[in-house]
Amino acid sequence: MTDPSSWLGAGLSAGEAQALWLSLKTGVVGTALSLPFGIAVAWLLARRDFRGKLVLDGLVHMPLVLPPVVTGYLLLLLFGHNGVAGRWLEAHLGFTFAFSWKGAALASAVMGFPLLVRAIRLAFEAVDPKLEAAARTLGAKRADVFVSVTLPLIAPGIIAGSLLGFARALGEFGATITFVANIPGETQTLPIALYSALQSTDGDIRAFRFVLLSILLAVIALAASEYLARAMQRRIRGAA
């Protein structure tokens, strides 16, 4: 079967295409897996008052203020081969995070989660509760109201949060290299490949190419976030 990284190989070396493919794969998988949890947490923080809310809010935003290396070390303690969760997953499911691309996706998801939750939370807070209440008075159940009214209204926030989380995942370095190391073809994403190039005596040109790739991906992700959010807002206004 053809290596998917070869699809991206036009004008790129094998190492560059591989690092680019790993960055895209870990970013997409990490963002997709964290999205349902992000929506649930954002809803809790936006719509519910409960004991421990400040603690939950602090935990969600902790990756933004902690050094990424600390986050990676905590992931290693929890999901490493000798970690509580990691040992259980390996023993019962044969599944491991440590030193694999799946661990890189997990690290990316954790680091991008605060941005994801923040954007979706703001979208929840912008929705007029009277619209949901009106749907309830017409006999719709809570789940139906959430799916048919709330989700379409917060769609711009979901799109923006997902793409911001994805963009953050593309730039993740500290947590990833601490948790899953630097393994070419397995965990060596663009930032880690850039770091490796900088460590070699003749890697200036390779490092510069990795920098250009990283900037290009970041610009595309941010531009797509803005474009899709605005397009969704125009669609909502047109349907109103």
Side-chain angles (χ1 to χ4, degrees):
M1 187 175 181
T2 305
D3 185 352
S5 64
S6 64
W7 307 340
L8 307 171
L12 302 177
S13 68
E16 291 166 349
Q18 203 168 53
L20 176 59
W21 168 246
L22 276 172
S23 291
L24 293 172
K25 179 168 69 170
T26 56
V28 169
V29 171
T31 303
L33 292 179
S34 63
L35 183 57
F37 300 100
I39 293 174
V41 171
W43 179 83
L44 276 175
L45 293 175
R47 296 296 182 83
R48 289 291 182 267
D49 289 319
F50 54 91
R51 185 175 298 176
K53 182 176 179 177
L54 288 177
V55 175
L56 176 60
D57 193 25
L59 288 174
V60 167
H61 291 89
M62 193 69 74
L64 289 180
V65 295
L66 279 177
V69 174
V70 174
T71 302
Y73 182 65
L74 292 175
L75 287 173
L76 187 61
L77 290 178
L78 186 60
F79 293 103
H81 292 300
N82 296 319
V84 177
R87 187 166 53 242
W88 187 91
L89 287 171
E90 188 170 0
H92 293 84
L93 302 178
F95 187 89
T96 59
F97 279 110
F99 309 113
S100 74
W101 75 267
K102 297 183 288 293
L106 176 61
S108 297
V110 170
M111 296 303 295
F113 194 70
L115 298 175
L116 177 73
V117 171
R118 182 65 178 167
I120 299 175
R121 180 182 179 178
L122 291 174
F124 270 119
E125 292 173 345
V127 173
D128 187 351
K130 294 179 181 178
L131 296 175
E132 297 167 309
R136 291 292 308 279
T137 61
L138 295 174
K141 297 180 180 179
R142 287 185 181 275
D144 294 330
V145 172
F146 185 80
V147 172
S148 61
V149 177
T150 309
L151 275 182
L153 290 175
I154 68 168
I158 293 176
I159 293 171
S162 298
L163 286 170
L164 285 174
F166 173 70
R168 176 65 184 85
L170 291 178
E172 168 47 34
F173 173 77
T176 302
I177 198 170
T178 304
F179 181 33
V180 294
N182 179 5
I183 306 173
E186 184 65 31
T187 66
Q188 193 179 80
T189 57
L190 278 176
I192 298 177
L194 170 59
Y195 173 78
S196 295
L198 290 173
Q199 300 308 301
S200 60
T201 56
D202 57 347
D204 289 347
I205 299 299
R206 288 191 295 119
F208 184 70
R209 287 170 63 89
F210 283 127
V211 167
L212 292 179
L213 274 175
S214 299
I215 292 174
L216 179 62
L217 282 179
V219 169
I220 291 173
L222 291 173
S225 172
E226 185 68 18
Y227 173 78
L228 291 174
R230 292 192 179 191
M232 188 63 68
Q233 287 173 346
R234 289 194 298 268
R235 182 177 178 182
I236 291 173
R237 291 195 195 101

